[in-house]
Amino acid sequence: MENTDPIQDIEISNIQRIAIKNLVKSPLNVRKKEGSGIAELAALIASQGLIQNLVVTEQKKKNKKTGKFEVVAGGRRLAALNLLVAEARLSKEDEVDCRVVGVKEALQMSLAENSGREAMHPADLIMAYRNLTEAGLSPDEIAPRFGVSPLTVKRYLKLTNVSPAIFKLYAEDEMNFEQISALALTEDHELQERIWNSTSEWQRNGSTFRRLITGTEIDIRQSPLAKFVGVEEYEAAGGLIRRDLFGKEDEGYIQDAELLESLALEKLNQAVEAIVGEGHAWAQCHTTFDHADEAEFVKARTIRRELTSEEQAAKDALDAEMEAIEAEFEGYNEDEDASGEIYSEIEKRHEAVQRKIAALSESLEELYADDLEIAGVIVTVDHAGELRIERNLIRKEDVKKQPKEQGTGLAGTGQSEALKPLHSEKLTRMLTAHRTAALQVELANRPDVALAALVHQLALQVFGSGYASNRIVQVNIERPYLKPDAENIEQSRAAMAVEEKRKVWKERIKAGEQGGKNLFQWLLEQPQQDLLDLLAFCMAVSVNTVSSSENAPSDDIAALMNALNLDMADWWEPTPENYLSHVSKDKILEVVGEAVSPDIAQALTKMKKGELVESAEKYLSGSRWLPKNLKVKPSAEI
């Protein structure tokens, strides 16, 4: 039978040992682009030797042999060998196996080698690393053999812990590296598969998967509390962090939110002790203090006192110094200051004098005596994770209070009273998380209010940023995760109603995309009412009213609650899990007396806490009692 294999037509050539110094790249090599990964290949050759020989032709110039050999197949291997020589890991006199062919066969062999090979799939490399570890090698031992870092080996080995079903999808190119590395954040195979199967194709990306896996955890790079406490202090206290091997070194997720908050409060209390002598009527610690919280306070009024003779003299001196500096600005000649140093020096003196003038002016502002007796301080953490102290704050409910008699106010004693709130910060955030869930489900049923809420936020940003400080609805649609603040929120009636709507819309969108259309194309074909309904749902799930303030809802929240005719009693009632187990016996008895009757409350006074909680739940069931921060203000009061 006739042989038609072109490779077999190439003449059998000799294998020779040739010194590295006599090898050069051939112009006949079809691979013109410089290869990558030379360092890794050099490491492989150093540890394993040259497994595959080079293919060369004898170099001739003017029909005379030069003693050199041109490499027609193996250009990357030659580059790796030269790198090893440059690093003194090989000698240029060292010889390697080379297959010597004629010029006639050289181009054909170069083309055959470069077109007939396929890069190794990362899944194969992952399994190779695992096999080496099972053979007893550590990542530190594997890494130098392949020219990679130990961290790279550890990252690949991390992927061997994913679900076999997930790894199979990756090996068959039905999943990309970003997706599988994100799913590897958790070692829970069931969770990995559930996340993959429950997300639509357009949602299957690393950021979505990480968010779903770490939904109840805290990003150490974004959390102000994590920055305030510090990762080292958190870990020293026994806190666990979920590390992302495929992320940056400073990435990770705090898994114990309660420990983090406890450590933050400890530091905040230390800050309160440092300012206790300033004469505040009260002092409180808050781990968060956002716009909704600020809305529950007003700034104390101030009066401007007259300057003392010493202060007047200081002011006159500063004014004179400022006039002199301004004269220097007027006489400044740019041509004589090519480096800009003269101008910079004048500018620094100008700013220093400005700060002194501002400080002197601020020192002349004194609180009204009446306000001083009810003004306090909030110690909290700002968005950058730094200590933030808000002084001279008056709670709105205290504004109308009469001033205390002379000599009885705490301001006169220089003492601070840390006011004990009725509800703990944890309970307050749990209650407002339930309020958020109820607002979400009600807003999802009211496209007209959702449209107004959306236009409201857009209009604020276009026509008056000064009025946009308290954004209840987030136009960027960042869905708040309520579980960290209310562990059983998913079992609440409101949250289950929202989830049911989410499933309905997910199925509709998925069915629409099966016809080959993308989401935008599908949306263009929907009736306007359907688009409004979807808008309402998307706006609804962006609502976030979680707050540490136990006061009544702010005006913005109350306005939205009124627009929806929201009565929280339709969605919440006190139970051991969401209220009764988190307050004192006295508070429970107060609630029973208010919602049921004083006589029944009196009959329960001798019960132990556990018995009281159980009995109170039965009496309060159906009573429609609500704590203050779940009640809505009448529209006339907003």
Side-chain angles (χ1 to χ4, degrees):
M1 182 180 294
E2 183 180 357
N3 183 8
T4 58
D5 186 348
I7 300 300
Q8 295 299 321
D9 290 340
I10 300 174
E11 64 182 47
I12 301 300
S13 310
N14 295 324
I15 298 293
Q16 296 184 23
R17 299 278 293 174
I18 301 174
I20 297 173
K21 68 178 183 180
N22 293 328
L23 297 172
V24 296
K25 190 172 180 179
S26 170
L28 298 177
N29 193 316
V30 298
R31 185 187 290 271
K32 302 302 180 184
K33 185 177 179 180
E34 189 66 33
S36 60
I38 302 302
E40 290 83 352
L41 181 57
L44 282 170
I45 293 174
S47 63
Q48 310 292 334
L50 188 63
I51 299 173
Q52 183 179 0
N53 60 256
L54 306 177
V55 179
V56 302
T57 60
E58 284 190 280
Q59 186 183 68
K60 293 182 179 180
K61 292 184 177 179
K62 296 182 180 180
N63 293 324
K64 292 184 179 179
K65 297 180 180 180
T66 64
K68 301 285 187 181
F69 291 82
E70 296 178 345
V71 178
V72 296
R76 288 182 67 251
R77 279 163 277 160
L78 175 61
L81 289 168
N82 286 328
L83 176 60
L84 291 172
V85 170
E87 294 176 347
R89 298 166 71 185
L90 285 178
S91 166
K92 63 181 181 180
E93 304 293 339
D94 286 336
E95 296 180 342
V96 294
D97 288 340
C98 299
R99 183 177 181 182
V100 183
V101 300
V103 175
K104 176 181 177 182
E105 296 84 18
L107 185 60
Q108 184 178 350
M109 293 194 70
S110 178
L111 179 63
E113 179 180 87
N114 284 286
S115 62
R117 64 184 180 185
E118 181 179 357
M120 178 184 290
H121 194 286
D124 298 326
L125 183 60
I126 292 168
M127 297 310 296
Y129 283 156
R130 188 175 78 170
N131 292 337
L132 288 172
T133 59
E134 290 176 349
L137 295 179
S138 69
D140 289 337
E141 293 171 318
I142 295 172
R145 300 181 180 218
F146 293 89
V148 296
S149 69
L151 178 59
T152 297
V153 177
K154 291 176 183 177
R155 283 173 170 170
Y156 278 115
L157 289 174
K158 177 76 172 177
L159 298 183
T160 65
N161 294 328
V162 300
S163 154
I166 292 294
F167 192 83
K168 182 180 179 183
L169 289 171
Y170 177 59
E172 295 176 353
D173 292 323
E174 294 183 34
M175 178 185 295
N176 60 38
F177 186 80
E178 181 201 20
Q179 293 167 330
I180 191 173
S181 60
L183 290 173
L185 259 178
T186 176
E187 295 185 1
D188 186 335
H189 290 184
E190 183 180 348
L191 177 59
Q192 292 169 353
E193 293 174 17
R194 185 167 68 250
I195 289 175
W196 176 262
N197 294 325
S198 65
T199 51
S200 56
E201 187 172 350
W202 57 275
Q203 289 181 305
R204 287 174 174 171
N205 54 67
S207 60
T208 296
F209 290 164
R210 289 185 182 90
R211 176 171 54 80
L212 292 174
I213 290 170
T214 63
T216 60
E217 299 172 3
I218 299 170
D219 190 330
I220 61 177
R221 294 195 305 164
Q222 297 181 4
S223 167
L225 284 191
K227 296 174 185 176
F228 180 65
V229 171
V231 172
E232 291 182 359
E233 288 77 3
Y234 168 78
E235 290 184 306
L240 298 178
I241 294 180
R242 186 195 297 273
R243 299 285 184 181
D244 184 359
L245 276 177
F246 296 91
K248 297 179 181 178
E249 290 185 5
D250 61 344
E251 290 182 355
Y253 301 89
I254 283 176
Q255 296 181 284
D256 193 337
E258 289 190 9
L259 174 60
L260 178 67
E261 183 162 340
S262 173
L263 294 172
L265 285 171
E266 185 178 327
K267 289 189 69 174
L268 290 173
N269 278 313
Q270 292 171 1
V272 168
E273 292 174 4
I275 61 172
V276 73
E278 294 182 3
H280 304 287
W282 51 265
Q284 291 180 351
C285 296
H286 291 254
T287 53
T288 60
F289 193 66
D290 54 25
H291 294 303
D293 299 319
E294 290 176 4
E296 303 303 323
F297 299 88
V298 296
K299 275 287 189 179
R301 297 168 297 171
T302 60
I303 54 175
R304 192 172 180 84
R305 63 175 176 80
E306 294 294 328
L307 290 162
T308 65
S309 57
E310 291 82 1
E311 289 169 339
Q312 184 63 58
K315 182 178 182 301
D316 292 342
L318 289 170
D319 288 343
E321 189 175 356
M322 182 61 76
E323 288 181 12
I325 293 174
E326 288 174 350
E328 288 185 62
F329 274 128
E330 291 178 5
Y332 173 72
N333 188 336
E334 187 176 353
D335 294 335
E336 297 177 356
D337 185 26
S339 66
E341 292 181 3
I342 296 175
Y343 187 89
S344 177
E345 190 272 334
I346 298 173
E347 197 171 41
K348 286 180 182 178
R349 286 190 285 116
H350 182 267
E351 291 174 354
V353 174
Q354 274 188 325
R355 286 194 296 270
K356 292 178 182 179
I357 292 174
L360 177 58
S361 178
E362 186 177 340
S363 70
L364 302 178
E365 300 290 337
E366 294 184 346
L367 294 184
Y368 272 81
D370 292 351
D371 288 1
L372 184 61
E373 294 188 358
I374 56 175
V377 60
I378 297 290
V379 180
T380 185
V381 180
D382 67 15
H383 293 297
E386 299 293 333
L387 181 68
R388 173 187 170 194
I389 300 176
E390 289 288 337
R391 294 177 171 85
N392 303 329
L393 296 177
I394 299 176
R395 295 166 300 183
K396 283 186 175 179
E397 60 264 33
D398 289 340
V399 171
K400 297 180 181 179
K401 285 185 177 180
Q402 294 293 327
K404 299 175 183 178
E405 293 182 7
Q406 184 66 31
T408 62
L410 290 171
T413 66
Q415 300 295 317
S416 289
E417 176 190 16
L419 298 181
K420 186 175 181 181
L422 293 175
H423 303 130
S424 68
E425 183 171 348
K426 180 180 178 181
L427 175 56
T428 300
R429 294 185 69 83
M430 183 192 303
L431 292 172
T432 52
H434 280 277
R435 179 179 67 192
T436 295
L439 275 168
Q440 288 179 349
V441 67
E442 292 283 6
L443 187 58
N445 293 325
R446 291 287 301 277
D448 55 330
V449 179
L451 181 60
L454 174 60
V455 175
H456 171 239
Q457 289 302 318
L458 295 175
L460 285 175
Q461 294 180 51
V462 173
F463 298 108
S465 60
Y467 298 96
S469 63
N470 199 2
R471 296 180 184 173
I472 304 305
V473 177
Q474 306 167 31
V475 178
N476 59 349
I477 311 299
E478 292 182 2
R479 184 176 182 182
Y481 282 85
L482 306 178
K483 193 174 178 66
D485 293 306
E487 186 175 353
N488 297 319
I489 190 72
E490 294 168 347
Q491 282 75 52
S492 69
R493 295 197 302 271
M496 288 191 290
V498 171
E499 178 61 18
E500 185 60 32
K501 283 184 175 291
R502 187 194 70 81
K503 289 179 179 178
V504 170
W505 278 113
K506 180 181 175 181
E507 290 302 318
R508 285 194 59 184
I509 292 172
K510 184 177 180 181
E513 291 179 333
Q514 286 179 348
K517 299 171 185 174
N518 60 36
L519 179 60
F520 184 67
Q521 291 171 328
W522 179 77
L523 289 172
L524 288 175
E525 297 175 355
Q526 303 311 301
Q528 187 178 52
Q529 186 57 51
D530 285 2
L531 290 179
L532 287 173
D533 289 343
L534 180 55
L535 167 69
F537 176 75
C538 294
M539 290 298 291
V541 296
S542 81
V543 169
N544 187 1
T545 70
V546 177
S547 170
S548 302
S549 171
E550 63 175 346
N551 298 320
S554 66
D555 289 350
D556 284 351
I557 298 174
L560 183 56
M561 293 174 75
N562 276 315
L564 297 170
N565 295 317
L566 173 64
D567 184 347
M568 278 300 300
D570 293 336
W571 299 101
W572 183 93
E573 66 177 9
T575 67
E577 292 76 18
N578 68 21
Y579 190 81
L580 298 173
S581 294
H582 301 275
V583 295
S584 66
K585 285 181 61 177
D586 289 343
K587 182 61 180 176
I588 296 174
L589 293 170
E590 178 188 328
V591 170
V592 173
E594 176 187 336
V596 187
S597 81
D599 291 339
I600 292 178
Q602 180 62 34
L604 302 178
T605 54
K606 295 183 178 180
M607 286 187 174
K608 293 183 178 180
K609 177 70 178 287
E611 297 172 338
L612 177 59
V613 166
E614 186 177 345
S615 295
E617 180 183 18
K618 294 177 182 177
Y619 282 115
L620 292 171
S621 178
S623 68
R624 300 185 70 80
W625 177 87
L626 294 172
K628 183 171 62 174
N629 53 2
L630 296 188
K631 295 178 180 178
V632 65
K633 302 176 186 176
S635 298
E637 297 181 13
I638 299 176

